[in-house]
Amino acid sequence: MPGPASKRRIPVSQPGMADPHQLFDDTSSAQSRAYGAPQGPSGLGYLTAPASPPAAFLSDPVSNMAMAYGSSLAAQGKELVDKNLKYYFAVDTLYVGKKLGLLFFPYLHQDWEVQYQQDTPVAPRFDVNAPDLYIPAMAFITYILVAGLALGTQDRFSPDLLGLQASSALAWLTLEVLAILFSLYLVTVNTDLTTIDLVAFLGYKYVGMIGGVLMGLLCGKIGYYLVLGWCCISIFVFMIRTLRLKILAEAAAEGVPVRGARNQLRMYLTMAVAAAQPLLMYWLTFHLVR
């Protein structure tokens, strides 16, 4: 007879004990319950109170000082934009149309005085004589795009060459501004002409450069030279009539030329700035038309 069936003992897990078939204890639940809770210095899991703001500042003073300095710079930058740059972009469609007409046909314009309201120049959208940065900025971007188009039609396009074109134009603009500021310092001119005004006036030449290159692409070199020549004469007249009220303020206010060494230097400076615009217009565009 077979013997009595042997009984296997099944271990019964007691409360608080781990599974006997498990090799290691599962401590993930305990860790998950303690996750996120700050521990004491001994690392035993004791909760500690959050640090106060002065204590947090003292714990990492360098980063906090950097954040405070960055916030101060951001506030100053916002104030600079609100006071200066915002004025130069206060334009509308009517102003842009009138300004472009003035750049191409300055011979028909009579009143070149900038209008003021309580010793503050009015916004460009209310005065076509006021300088702006919208047209120079858009003209510069359009000039780079047109240059890329011209290079592409001649199978000479490359990102490096286009970047060289943009950097060259910016370098010449920067050099112009620095040279004029240094010249104004040498001749001791008391004028309200600011650096941003110079950037605006010098940036208007890109409008004529765009016209010359586009006409060169459509009609060849003959169209290029005709349109660029007209635009060069127009920008020369525009700069003379605009800057004479800024640099030759005393003589223009009296209505008669003042014979003096200082005023002659001012006149020469005005003519030099105006004459440099056609030269740069040709230098930055002649290689784009073949």
Side-chain angles (χ1 to χ4, degrees):
M1 286 180 66
S6 59
K7 300 181 179 179
R8 293 195 312 172
R9 294 184 180 180
I10 301 176
V12 179
S13 60
Q14 298 179 2
M17 295 181 61
D19 188 357
H21 298 288
Q22 185 174 345
L23 297 179
F24 300 98
D25 294 337
D26 185 8
T27 60
S28 59
S29 59
Q31 292 180 357
S32 61
R33 288 193 300 269
Y35 180 77
Q39 298 183 359
S42 60
L44 298 179
Y46 298 105
L47 300 178
T48 57
S52 59
F57 179 81
L58 293 176
S59 62
D60 195 0
V62 177
S63 61
N64 286 277
M65 290 179 63
M67 291 178 60
Y69 184 70
S71 301
S72 176
L73 288 180
Q76 294 178 3
K78 184 177 182 300
E79 183 179 0
L80 176 65
V81 171
D82 291 340
K83 287 186 177 180
N84 295 326
L85 295 182
K86 189 176 181 180
Y87 164 81
Y88 291 94
F89 286 93
V91 300
D92 55 10
T93 306
L94 182 61
Y95 167 83
V96 173
K98 290 183 177 180
K99 194 73 171 188
L100 292 178
L102 180 61
L103 292 175
F104 284 106
F105 304 98
Y107 326 99
L108 305 177
H109 194 61
Q110 299 297 329
D111 185 14
W112 293 86
E113 291 283 349
V114 178
Q115 301 178 12
Y116 285 81
Q117 183 178 7
Q118 298 180 354
D119 298 334
T120 303
V122 299
R125 63 174 175 267
F126 301 118
D127 184 14
V128 71
N129 296 322
D132 72 284
L133 287 178
Y134 176 80
I135 293 179
M138 294 297 103
F140 178 81
I141 296 174
T142 307
Y143 160 70
I144 300 302
L145 296 177
V146 171
L149 177 63
L151 294 174
T153 56
Q154 302 168 12
D155 295 331
R156 296 190 297 138
F157 176 82
S158 68
D160 295 337
L161 189 58
L162 189 63
L164 180 62
Q165 190 76 22
S167 60
S168 177
L170 282 177
W172 278 110
L173 180 62
T174 304
L175 185 61
E176 279 186 282
V177 173
L178 294 178
I180 295 174
L181 291 177
F182 183 69
S183 301
L184 291 175
Y185 173 76
L186 291 180
V187 298
T188 62
V189 176
N190 296 323
T191 177
D192 58 350
L193 192 65
T194 64
T195 304
I196 303 180
D197 291 340
L198 287 177
V199 174
F201 289 132
L202 298 176
Y204 288 135
K205 64 175 171 287
Y206 295 116
V207 176
M209 293 163 59
I210 294 170
V213 175
L214 287 178
M215 188 57 63
L217 293 177
L218 295 176
C219 303
K221 283 192 174 182
I222 296 179
Y224 164 75
Y225 284 114
L226 288 177
V227 174
L228 187 68
W230 176 270
C231 294
C232 287
I233 298 175
S234 298
I235 197 64
F236 179 81
V237 174
F238 173 83
M239 295 295 288
I240 287 289
R241 294 186 177 181
T242 300
L243 293 181
R244 70 182 179 85
L245 299 178
K246 299 288 186 179
I247 301 178
L248 301 173
E250 298 178 0
E254 296 178 3
V256 294
V258 179
R259 294 182 179 180
R262 181 174 299 180
N263 288 289
Q264 287 183 357
L265 289 177
R266 295 176 180 179
M267 184 179 302
Y268 294 152
L269 178 59
T270 302
M271 296 186 65
V273 173
Q277 305 310 301
L279 296 177
L280 289 174
M281 291 172 65
Y282 175 76
W283 177 257
L284 294 173
T285 57
F286 78 96
H287 60 282
L288 298 175
V289 178
R290 290 186 176 181

